Amino acid sequence: MSQDTIGFGGGCHWCTEAVFQSLRGVSNVEQGFIKSFAPHDNYSEAVVVTFDAALIPLKVLIEVHLRTHASTSQHKMRAKYRSAIYVYSSAQADSVQRHVKEAQGDFDQQIVTMTLAFNGFKASPEQFQKYYETNSEKPFCRTYIDPKLSEIRRLFSQYSPQT
């Protein structure tokens, strides 16, 4: 089993972590903060995802990401919640950019999600790790995470363990 790694940021990392943990083919999700290079060298909420591309293609991970955060909004919280896909190689960057461009046709507004080189990761404090797994009954999870997981089950059922 070959494992690939990629980073995703865009919204609250509690939500992003739960989204990617819900997918078959994803073996690990590290929640925390990722930075790139200047001018995007400040840490922003994100996750590092380890996955088996034979079980879940990168294209699917990108589509899930674009549909589970505000990927077309330049809202005022973008410094904290940078809409980005963090890549580990130029080949991965080319693939991500191609898939985002292909996905644009499914959106009415311009996708603002950037492709950025990964340049560092800081894990969230231990009490916030696996947030949904340990807090699924809390109002935050019910309000923000549950609808995203329902959308994943609806649009990407073949990658959802619940099928």
Side-chain angles (χ1 to χ4, degrees), residues 33-37 43-44 48 86 88 117-122:
F33 305 85
I34 296 177
K35 69 176 182 170
S36 185
F37 296 92
Y43 282 98
S44 183
V48 173
Y86 298 92
Y88 288 74
F118 177 90
N119 187 35
F121 176 79
K122 291 190 309 188

Side-chain angles (χ1 to χ4, degrees), residues 13-112:
H13 50 198
W14 296 350
C15 295
T16 310
E17 176 189 56
V19 161
F20 289 103
Q21 284 176 331
S22 76
L23 299 170
R24 274 196 320 231
V26 171
S27 59
N28 191 43
V29 180
E30 297 176 80
Q31 180 207 116
F33 305 85
I34 296 177
K35 69 176 182 170
S36 185
F37 296 92
H40 305 291
D41 53 348
N42 59 313
Y43 282 98
S44 183
E45 291 193 23
V47 297
V48 173
V49 174
T50 304
F51 66 102
D52 182 343
L55 298 175
I56 187 164
L58 178 58
K59 179 179 182 175
V60 172
L61 294 174
I62 292 167
E63 289 175 9
V64 166
H65 181 59
L66 294 175
R67 293 181 182 284
T68 56
H69 82 285
S71 62
T72 61
S73 174
Q74 284 290 14
H75 57 75
K76 65 182 179 178
M77 296 293 290
R78 276 294 176 224
K80 182 177 181 181
Y81 304 122
R82 183 184 303 125
S83 182
I85 301 172
Y86 298 92
V87 297
Y88 288 74
S89 69
S90 59
Q92 194 177 51
D94 292 342
S95 182
V96 167
Q97 290 168 343
R98 184 178 68 256
H99 293 316
V100 170
K101 186 176 180 180
E102 289 170 3
Q104 180 61 63
D106 295 333
F107 292 83
D108 293 333
Q109 297 175 337
Q110 185 67 35
I111 294 172
V112 299

